[in-house]
């Protein structure tokens, strides 16, 4: 496994491989089974897998969240080596953004709701860094976890406009035995809150079992109240799976989305409900 920090080294390595077969898994490190499943998917579909480890400051809307973001580079590299990753790119901020070519993109309603409402500028930051990575790496496939479903939709939209040759592949959310969606942020939960956090998946599955198109507003309220029994919810919303609108018709695909806080840790999750 090759580990590179500089753009020039990355370009050198890329010049030696066949461009038609690159799989790209972007990460912010502190890797878990969710990342591994994306890497496995990339290895199955392509013959050269590149992982980036970069905590992207431009996507953090809360300074303390950035400062508290967990780091474990050594362990991450061991894990990536075990998974058979071909190349890991761990750039530093100055170098990565030095020659940034800004793009102008309207994300329409996709970044106005859910996470976009609560974390202003977050998705612009995600797009900024992915624009740099896509430009540098030009993969055939890029892999994103469904835990961040809104991010997946936004990246797909962005890639369709600017990088139509890159296929954006979603990977199913990986869960702890309790049902808690795997996330680097889980490591900041106390034992007590980790125990409570299984309630989030229970509320989502309750929503799925009780989903009735005409009663979805009442169900959102019930689920929000269920979350508030053990945490401090920000939202519980039922929206279309493809455009995140909430006013469409019964026959389309719907998903339930939740964001809630446990002991200061903000957790998000979502599932398909029909
Ligand atoms: O999902 C993440 O970890 C980040 O948003 C990403 C895609 C690596 C961009 O920094």
């Amino acid at each position: 496994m090759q580990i590179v920090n500089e753009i020039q080294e990355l370009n050198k390595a890329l010049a030696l491989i066949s461009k038609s077969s690159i799989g790209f898994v972007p990460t912010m490190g502190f890797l878990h089974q969710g990342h591994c499943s994306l890497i496995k998917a990339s290895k199955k579909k392509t013959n050269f897998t590149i992982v980036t480890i970069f905590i992207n400051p431009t996507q953090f809307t809360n300074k303390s969240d950035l400062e508290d973001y967990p780091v474990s580079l050594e362990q991450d590299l061991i894990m990536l080596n075990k998974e058979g990753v071909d190349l890991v790119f761990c750039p530093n901020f100055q170098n990565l953004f030095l020659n940034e070519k800004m793009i102008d993109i309207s994300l329409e309603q996709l970044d106005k709701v859910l996470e976009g409402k609560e974390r202003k500028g977050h998705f612009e930051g995600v797009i900024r860094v992915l624009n740099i990575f896509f430009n540098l790496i030009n993969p055939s496939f890029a892999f994103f976890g469904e835990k961040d479903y809104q991010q997946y939709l936004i990246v797909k939209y962005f890639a369709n406009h600017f990088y139509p040759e890159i296929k954006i592949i979603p990977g199913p959310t990986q869960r702890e035995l309790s049902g808690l969606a795997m996330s680097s942020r889980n490591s900041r939960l106390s034992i007590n809150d980790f125990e409570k956090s299984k309630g989030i998946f229970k509320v989502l599955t309750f929503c799925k079992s009780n989903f009735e198109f005409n009663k979805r507003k009442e169900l959102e309220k019930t689920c929000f109240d269920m979350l508030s029994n053990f945490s401090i919810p920000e939202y519980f919303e039922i929206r279309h799976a493809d455009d995140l609108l909430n006013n469409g018709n019964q026959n389309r695909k719907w998903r339930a989305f939740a964001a809630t806080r446990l002991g200061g840790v903000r957790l998000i999750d979502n599932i398909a409900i029909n």
Side-chain angles (χ1 to χ4, degrees), residues 50-69:
I50 298 182
V51 172
T52 49
I53 299 181
F54 178 67
I55 300 177
N56 170 30
T58 68
Q59 73 186 73
F60 283 81
T61 50
N62 177 333
K63 203 165 170 258
S64 70
D65 195 25
L66 172 61
E67 279 158 8
D68 294 348
Y69 202 83

Side-chain angles (χ1 to χ4, degrees), residues 30-43:
F30 209 80
L31 304 176
H32 50 69
Q33 286 310 310
H35 299 108
C36 287
S37 72
L38 298 178
I39 291 164
K40 286 191 167 74
S42 170
K43 285 192 60 84

Side-chain angles (χ1 to χ4, degrees), residues 26-28 35 54 56 59 69 122 126 129-130 144 148 151:
T27 82
M28 299 204 296
H35 299 108
F54 178 67
N56 170 30
Q59 73 186 73
Y69 202 83
H122 166 69
V126 172
V129 78
L130 290 178
F144 293 83
D148 297 305
Q151 169 173 277

Side-chain angles (χ1 to χ4, degrees), residues 222-269:
T222 306
C223 291
F224 187 94
D225 292 345
M226 286 169 80
L227 285 176
S228 54
N229 288 336
F230 62 90
S231 62
I232 306 171
E234 279 181 16
Y235 60 75
F236 189 99
E237 295 185 27
I238 297 171
R239 290 184 174 270
H240 282 312
D242 53 357
D243 57 15
L244 300 183
L245 292 176
N246 58 4
N247 56 356
N249 74 54
Q250 187 160 12
N251 299 324
R252 287 171 61 189
K253 291 280 170 215
W254 293 88
R255 284 185 96 88
F257 297 85
T260 198
R261 280 180 191 276
L262 264 165
V265 183
R266 190 170 182 282
L267 300 170
I268 62 171
D269 198 355

